[in-house]
Structures are given as C-alpha cells and as structure tokens.
Amino acid sequence: MTQVTTIPTTGGPRGVAHFLAPVIAGFFNGHPPVRLRAWDGSEAGPRDAPVVILRHRDALRHVVARPGELGLARAYVTGALDVEGDLTDALRRVGAGVRRHGTSSLAPREWVRAARVLLAVGAVGTPPPVPRGESRPRGPLHSRERDAAAVSHHYDAGNGIYSLLLDETMAYSCAYWPEDDPVATLADAQRAKLDLVCRELGLREGSRLLDVGCGWGSLALHAARAYGARVTAVTLSAAQRDHVAARIREEGLTDRVEVELRHYRDIDRAGFDAVATIEMGEHVGRDEYAPFARRLRSLLRPGGRLLVQQMSRGSDHPGGGPFIERYIAPDMHMRPLGETVTLLEDAGLEVTGVRSLRRHYVRTARSWAAELDRRYDDLVGLAGEETARVWRLYLAGGALAFEEGRMGVHQIAARRPAPEEIP
C-alpha cells in the first residue's frame, strides 16, 4: 500500500480527521452522523456519535472508487475501516441521525473544496484491490448455471462455517419463539419453527413432502423423524447435499428421506401431499417468481398444502442492497408481502393464512451475531479475517433491517384446490 504524506502532521488540530470532518458535515446538512478517528491519531466530529476508525487511507480510496454502500462495505471488509464498539448500535445511531437531519448535495464550490481535501489526505489514487469474497455472477440472469453459481457463492463457503455459527439443528432461517416459552434457546426456537411448518402442512405418517431449497436438512429430517413423512429434498448447493446425505445415513432415514442436487425447474415428480420452501423464494428473481409459483402448484396433488417462508421488504425500501448483492446473495430479489400473495393466488393457489415472523428474525439474527462474537477467532482461523468481517457486517445490518421494519419475513400457507372446488 502506497503511503502518501501530503499532510505531515500526526494528529493535533490539523490532522487528517480535522480535514475530513467539514467535508462529511457538508453531505449531512451540518450534522455529521459519525466521529472520525484517522490513521494519524487525529479525531474530529460529534463526541456523542459512533466512532468510525480510518486505519488506512485505503478506506477513503475504496469509497472514492465506489461511493456509497459498496465502497464503505469494501473498506470495512478489508479492515481499512472499522467501527468502535457494537456495530449494530453504531449502524442504528447513524441511520437515526441521517433520518433526522437528512442528506444534501454539495454546491460546486464545496465539491472543489472536498476534492482538494481528498487529494491532500491521499484518498485519490489507484483503487485498492476488491475483496476476494465479492461475487460477480456471469451468464443469463437466473439461468440454471447462474443460479447454481449464486447459491454456491454463499452456501458452499464451507459447512464448517455454518456448523460454527448455527445451532445444533443447522437451521439457517428464522426461528420461532412460542408465546408460552419466550426464553427458549435458539435451538428450541428452531425446533418450534419446524413443528409449526409441519403442522401447517398437515404432515402425518406417510405424507409425501417436497422440501425445495432444503438447506442443511433441518426440515426434511425433522419431518421424517417426528412426523413419519416421506421427504424429497432438493438444493443447488453441493455442500448442503453432501451434509444432508450424511445426516440421512447417520440417522437411519434412508427409507424416508432422499436429497437431490437439482434446480426446482427440473424436479421430475409431482403429486406431493405437501411442499415447503423455506427462505428460498428470495433467490428466484423478479420475473421468474410467477412461473415458480405455478411450478409449486403443479407439484402438489389436488388438495395438497404449501408453506412458503420468505423474506419481504417494505414498500418504501429496496431490500437487499449492494453489500448483500455482492457478498451474500447475488441476484436476490425481494418484494412486499402483498405482491407475493398475489403471485401465489394468480398461480391458482388458495392462500389460507399469513404469519409474520419479523420480530422473531430480529432475535434469530442477534443470536447468530452473539455466537459470531463468541467464536470470532475460530471463524477467522477457519475462513480468514475478511470472511469473518463479512459475516459480522451481514448479521449486524440484517438484524437492524428487521428491527426497523425495512425487511420482514412471513409464513404464507396455501393449498391447491381440488377440481370440484373450482367453479
């Protein structure tokens, strides 16, 4: 990394942070939402604001190269930028400050002044390398090959990572805390969610269940073990397929559960009593969801039940974002709940109930984040510092998005009407 010494001071009233503070204030109507601590030891900004640490001028170069969320994410993931204290709380306070005071565009004269400051502190130069964990899928959007690559980016990162962060059920989706057991552990809450899904689907001995996007097999194994269902589980992740296959053998469920590496479009059986898709619909795509909903209907027998557990976004919020798109879920698309319900109904399904789990996802994400903090060094040793920082930012931001209602998650129960029920 090239060191630029345009400003020779080491802190004090003319340090890097003092040069940058007025520029930042200009973008936020004179109310900067953070306090800066720069690599030369200087600090400037509101004393009661979250402290953002610029460990190297590469933090600024990332933001100059890609202004906005992606540049900031790259700076954080690489460690050039850090946040003092609790990351979720810092993001919460910054967001509240921005909502309170708003943002502004700089006047031409202010842009000239900002450019001079950035040049003086060494923020202008060759952009730093993009973090290795960024995904840039290729090929036609939502082709089988691109979908497989997008899923592999996050879910094939290594079963060891998920074993470290998740509870013993290996459920990587929103848990459910029953009102009569509000202090249940995360594992208990995940089992309660699995029971809730199985009850909504009406599973009993011999029921044929299709689990679309089965993850690490928590639902498939639970449905077979606790309800006697015969389960076909499908995933696009080879790591997940291998994990589920091993669990099937270990638990002696080879006569009840089969797992396949298969795209939902290529499922070659139908007539299932029940179909579940748990937090997989977000990966289907904007234009592909209507055919997806019709495909789910076609897989059910007349009278069969469907359970869709899916994230949603508020009507005024985009959902996802550049960080999620590049580091977590390439090609993800979320829509408001009402749009999903309409698409399911347009596919010929009867929606019989909707349950909001948004508050439960706040608690779920916080539980994962707490486990990440507890085992952070283990994760660094297993996957590297950049990956650990990606997960920390992902869980902190995700918990906050659900907390503030910018994102939600719902269980949508539906059924395929029998022919005699259709006018």
Side-chain angles (χ1 to χ4, degrees):
M1 297 180 181
T2 303
Q3 293 291 326
V4 179
T5 56
T6 307
I7 296 177
T9 56
T10 55
R14 298 290 291 172
V16 170
H18 302 93
F19 277 78
L20 291 171
V23 176
I24 293 175
F27 284 105
F28 296 98
N29 293 315
H31 297 277
V34 299
R35 180 173 178 81
L36 293 181
R37 180 183 302 149
W39 59 86
D40 66 345
S42 60
E43 284 196 28
R47 293 192 176 276
D48 60 346
V51 176
V52 171
I53 305 167
L54 305 176
R55 300 198 182 279
H56 193 276
R57 49 181 49 85
D58 275 357
L60 301 175
R61 290 180 177 176
H62 275 298
V63 176
V64 168
R66 288 301 299 264
E69 180 181 317
L70 184 57
L72 289 167
R74 287 173 174 175
Y76 181 83
V77 167
T78 60
L81 179 150
D82 216 335
V83 176
E84 186 173 78
D86 183 83
L87 181 58
T88 301
D89 181 62
L91 294 172
R92 182 187 297 114
R93 292 164 62 194
V94 167
V98 171
R99 288 191 294 273
R100 186 179 304 115
H101 300 293
T103 59
S104 59
S105 298
L106 300 185
R109 181 179 300 178
E110 293 171 319
W111 273 113
V112 172
R113 185 181 301 115
R116 288 174 176 169
V117 168
L118 292 172
L119 186 63
V121 300
V124 179
T126 302
V130 172
R132 290 171 299 171
E134 255 188 45
S135 171
R136 296 188 179 184
R138 298 178 180 178
L141 184 62
H142 293 298
S143 63
R144 287 166 173 79
E145 295 77 14
R146 179 161 169 160
D147 279 352
V151 166
S152 177
H153 172 75
H154 189 55
Y155 297 100
D156 285 345
N159 288 338
I161 294 176
Y162 294 93
S163 296
L164 186 148
L165 292 175
L166 303 180
D167 65 90
E168 63 204 51
T169 69
M170 288 293 285
Y172 185 39
S173 55
C174 183
Y176 172 70
W177 278 266
E179 292 183 4
D180 60 354
D181 192 7
V183 296
T185 66
L186 176 61
D188 289 337
Q190 289 289 10
R191 282 187 281 266
K193 183 270 301 294
L194 298 174
D195 276 328
L196 185 63
V197 171
C198 291
R199 290 196 302 271
E200 287 285 0
L201 291 172
L203 298 184
R204 54 185 181 271
E205 185 70 32
S207 295
R208 294 185 63 215
L209 168 65
L210 173 64
D211 184 2
V212 182
C214 65
W216 283 270
S218 57
L219 175 61
L221 296 165
H222 185 79
R225 188 192 311 119
Y227 290 82
R230 297 187 177 277
V231 187
T232 299
V234 298
T235 178
L236 286 177
S237 164
Q240 290 180 341
R241 186 271 315 273
D242 293 346
H243 177 89
V244 178
R247 290 282 304 276
I248 291 170
R249 293 191 297 270
E250 290 168 6
E251 298 193 26
L253 294 172
T254 54
D255 61 333
R256 289 189 176 273
V257 186
E258 57 182 344
V259 60
E260 301 175 354
L261 192 66
R262 190 181 292 267
H263 198 285
Y264 72 85
R265 298 185 187 118
D266 298 326
I267 297 170
D268 55 6
R269 278 168 282 178
F272 289 94
D273 300 301
V275 174
T277 175
I278 307 298
E279 295 178 28
M280 175 268 182
E282 303 89 337
H283 301 282
V284 169
R286 180 194 304 270
D287 298 330
E288 289 72 22
Y289 203 91
F292 173 66
R294 292 193 295 269
R295 184 74 179 117
L296 294 177
R297 179 188 180 279
S298 72
L299 293 165
L300 284 165
R301 64 166 175 78
R305 298 189 189 185
L306 171 70
L307 193 288
V308 174
Q309 181 168 311
Q310 189 169 306
M311 295 181 196
S312 62
R313 62 173 177 84
S315 58
D316 296 329
H317 300 284
F323 168 70
I324 294 295
E325 179 76 15
R326 289 294 183 92
Y327 289 91
I328 305 299
D331 299 337
M332 170 185 271
H333 176 74
M334 288 187 290
R335 58 183 57 77
L337 168 66
E339 291 184 16
T340 300
V341 170
T342 297
L343 287 165
L344 293 171
E345 290 179 332
D346 287 348
L349 291 157
E350 177 189 4
V351 173
T352 58
V354 176
R355 182 191 305 271
S356 172
L357 298 180
R358 180 181 65 83
R359 292 181 176 84
H360 297 266
Y361 222 139
V362 176
R363 191 167 176 181
T364 302
R366 286 176 178 169
S367 297
W368 290 335
E371 188 67 7
L372 170 65
D373 287 341
R374 188 178 75 84
R375 303 195 65 182
Y376 188 81
D377 290 343
D378 294 334
L379 181 55
V380 171
L382 182 66
E385 184 76 33
E386 283 192 4
T387 297
R389 292 178 72 84
V390 165
W391 274 92
R392 176 169 278 169
L393 183 57
Y394 166 48
L395 294 178
L400 189 60
F402 287 102
E403 174 189 310
E404 296 178 345
R406 290 180 280 116
M407 287 174 54
V409 64
H410 300 83
Q411 286 185 349
I412 307 170
R415 62 188 293 274
R416 176 178 177 174
E420 61 270 19
E421 300 175 281
I422 300 174

